[in-house]
Amino acid sequence: MTTTSAEAGAPPATTPPPNGFDRYFEISARGSTISREIRGGLATFFTMAYIVVLNPLILGNAVDGDGQKLAIPALAAATALVAGVMTILMGVVGRFPLALAAGLGVNALVAYEIAPQMTWADAMGLVVIEGVIIAILVLTGLRTAVFHSVPTQLKTAIGVGIGLFLTIIGLVDAGFVRRIPDAAGTTVPVGLGINGKLVTWPALVFVLGLLVTLVLVVRKVRGAILIGIVASTVLAIVVEAIANVGPSFVDGKPNPSGWSLNVPELPSTVLDTPDLSLLGNFNVLGSWSTAGWLVALMFVFTLLVTDFFDTMGTMVAVAQEGDLLDENQTPPRTREILLVDSIAAAAGGAASTSSNTSYIESAAGVAEGARTGVANLVTGALFLLAMFLAPLVVVVPFEAASTALVVVGFLMMTGVRSIDWTDYEIAVPAFLTIVLMPFTYSISNGIGAGVITFVVLKLARGKAREVHPLLYGVAVLFVLYFLRGPIETLIG
């Protein structure tokens, strides 16, 4: 009798992927399906579509050294265009469900610190330089090597910290948590709603939307997060039609009871013609003579450190959410992911939208089932459509989209169980990494504190050899990063 390979103990034959598209994106290999990727791509888009509106408001309301402003319609079109192209590029090259768009925090740095000391073209030129430098670091292998030098448990802490960061972003954007004015005579920095009460219609929409989403997640309903966003948006439209709540700012004055970012109303028109006049409006060399080479160098360094480590943390967190990390807590195709991210930084400067970077909101899509770059094709295509369908994009208010951020924050928080809290040499750096991200509103600050503390504790315990040589250099860079205020004062 002939013995089959299965009888001989060989592994059973697996069904090959149905086509080249599946093989290229590793859809079946990563346990995903086309429908899950589409659903994930939709969820990611709806949780980060706000950037098409918010980035123009941040950049468009600032003035450069010549007193000039950038046109908001042109900023919106360019923001959507670069986000769409770079997200698709990440999907095709990185084959990873990580969407990109103009980076929050970096755009504020460009708008309020860099541009006032030069022209907009000069400021965007510095962003282009920063992106090119990061690309060189990737191609030489240095950026990937730095990533591998970070201890595994510290990488896990980065993912957990970003989860808490996402949560507070969602709570604040929805108005569930608000800053207490200094005039209130209290040392408590934030509080629940308005004067400790949830008294607004938008807050009710957020709470109901969050509860619905949590119920769906617990019941393991497919598309739970996306369903939560859509249901919350529909409820918001109904509430606005009945109560006429209005925006959070009316005639330049705050309206605490209003909707954040967008008023959920059905648009009167669907199509709009994009204004792409800002593309190519940058000057690589102008800033070095206008602001001085020391000031320009310091700005490039700040942009570099922020982009360099934000993406590393985001990449790990998204991969962790999708169970895509290997035994060293490294995502697949790390080099390609980091290269596309660096190209996006330069592309954002070239289009006057500020540095584009990887978005942690991508975790919402991963939570919906996205595991491959196919989800990016969906998200990127929607961003490109957003150039023409801007009226539809601005229907979703923060109160509806933020439900996803809170739920994803919870899912990412579960990684905290893999950190050894009995080993203080890693537990203390992990703790600082986790808490400083939400408390300082910065991924880079958390990573920097964790790296510096890890190195210091190892040196104090006489375990210098347990620290990767590159990590010493990273720690020094972060020390300079945290001291950039005094350094800028000295060179100013």
Side-chain angles (χ1 to χ4, degrees):
M1 183 176 65
T2 303
T3 302
T4 64
S5 60
E7 291 172 335
T14 57
T15 303
N19 53 52
F21 184 83
D22 187 301
R23 287 193 297 272
Y24 181 82
F25 287 103
E26 300 178 334
I27 300 172
S28 298
R30 297 186 186 179
S32 186
T33 63
I34 292 292
S35 62
R36 287 177 61 179
E37 297 298 316
I38 293 174
R39 195 168 65 239
L42 287 168
T44 294
F45 174 75
F46 282 115
T47 54
M48 61 183 288
Y50 66 84
I51 195 61
V52 178
V53 177
L54 188 55
N55 191 51
L57 292 179
I58 292 174
L59 293 175
N61 286 322
V63 296
D64 65 9
D66 291 342
Q68 300 297 314
K69 287 188 174 184
L70 297 176
I72 289 181
L75 283 170
T79 297
L81 173 64
V82 177
V85 172
M86 289 299 109
T87 296
I88 291 173
L89 186 64
M90 178 66 80
V92 174
V93 177
R95 306 179 204 174
F96 190 71
L98 190 62
L100 301 97
L104 290 174
V106 176
N107 56 5
L109 173 67
V110 172
Y112 300 113
E113 293 187 38
I114 299 178
Q117 300 195 39
M118 55 194 75
T119 67
W120 280 112
D122 295 340
M124 295 302 171
L126 290 180
V127 176
V128 172
I129 292 173
E130 173 251 338
V132 171
I133 292 175
I134 293 183
I136 293 173
L137 294 176
V138 174
L139 292 174
T140 57
L142 181 60
R143 193 180 189 187
T144 306
V146 169
F147 172 78
H148 289 306
S149 72
V150 178
T152 299
Q153 292 192 59
L154 201 54
K155 291 177 185 175
T156 300
I158 290 171
V160 174
I162 291 177
L164 289 180
F165 183 43
L166 268 183
T167 300
I168 195 169
I169 288 175
L171 294 175
V172 170
D173 286 348
F176 188 87
V177 171
R178 302 187 186 219
R179 180 179 181 274
I180 298 176
D182 295 335
T186 177
T187 57
V188 179
V190 294
L192 177 69
I194 300 175
N195 296 324
K197 302 177 182 178
L198 297 174
V199 295
T200 67
W201 284 109
L204 176 63
V205 169
F206 169 73
V207 171
L208 292 177
L210 179 60
L211 290 175
V212 168
T213 306
L214 288 172
V215 169
L216 294 174
V217 168
V218 171
R219 292 179 65 86
K220 301 186 184 304
V221 175
R222 290 183 178 181
I225 293 176
L226 183 57
I227 293 172
I229 295 173
V230 174
S232 300
T233 301
V234 171
L235 177 60
I237 292 173
V238 173
V239 168
E240 174 61 23
I242 297 174
N244 193 27
V245 177
S248 56
F249 280 86
V250 180
D251 297 328
K253 297 180 180 179
N255 173 25
S257 300
W259 301 99
S260 298
L261 188 64
N262 297 321
V263 176
E265 298 174 321
L266 292 177
S268 57
T269 182
V270 175
L271 295 175
D272 197 8
T273 303
D275 178 358
L276 302 177
S277 60
L278 288 177
L279 300 186
N281 185 31
F282 67 96
N283 185 348
V284 172
L285 301 177
S287 58
W288 301 87
S289 58
T290 303
W293 70 271
L294 278 176
V295 172
L297 187 64
M298 199 64 206
F299 280 142
V300 171
F301 174 75
T302 303
L303 290 169
L304 184 68
V305 171
T306 302
D307 265 354
F308 194 101
F309 292 100
D310 268 17
T311 297
M312 287 188 178
T314 301
M315 177 178 66
V316 171
V318 171
Q320 183 175 301
E321 173 64 23
D323 195 24
L324 296 174
L325 296 174
D326 62 18
E327 64 277 5
N328 297 316
Q329 297 295 292
T330 301
R333 301 180 65 81
T334 296
R335 185 171 183 269
E336 288 81 358
I337 294 171
L338 295 176
L339 180 60
V340 174
D341 182 84
S342 61
I343 294 173
S352 296
T353 66
S354 177
S355 176
N356 275 232
T357 188
S358 303
Y359 260 57
I360 188 56
E361 283 86 346
S362 304
V366 173
E368 280 295 342
R371 295 293 182 273
T372 76
V374 176
N376 273 36
L377 304 184
V378 176
T379 303
L382 290 173
F383 268 118
L384 295 180
L385 282 175
M387 290 193 301
F388 304 91
L389 302 175
L392 287 180
V393 175
V394 299
V395 169
V396 183
F398 266 148
E399 288 80 4
S402 294
T403 56
L405 301 185
V406 176
V407 173
V408 171
F410 155 71
L411 295 174
M412 295 174 68
M413 180 70 189
T414 59
V416 74
R417 65 185 182 274
S418 63
I419 298 173
D420 183 2
W421 295 103
T422 64
D423 180 2
Y424 284 10
E425 291 176 21
I426 189 63
V428 171
F431 168 74
L432 291 176
T433 298
I434 291 170
V435 298
L436 286 182
M437 285 188 192
F439 290 162
T440 66
Y441 240 58
S442 168
I443 294 174
S444 291
N445 289 347
I447 296 176
V451 168
I452 292 173
T453 307
F454 178 79
V455 171
V456 169
L457 292 180
K458 287 295 184 182
L459 290 175
R461 294 294 303 276
K463 299 180 179 180
R465 292 186 179 182
E466 294 185 9
V467 180
H468 193 289
L470 279 176
L471 209 59
Y472 286 111
V474 173
V476 170
L477 287 177
F478 269 120
V479 170
L480 294 175
Y481 173 76
F482 287 124
L483 293 177
R484 67 189 185 278
I487 292 174
E488 289 172 358
T489 301
L490 288 175
I491 66 176

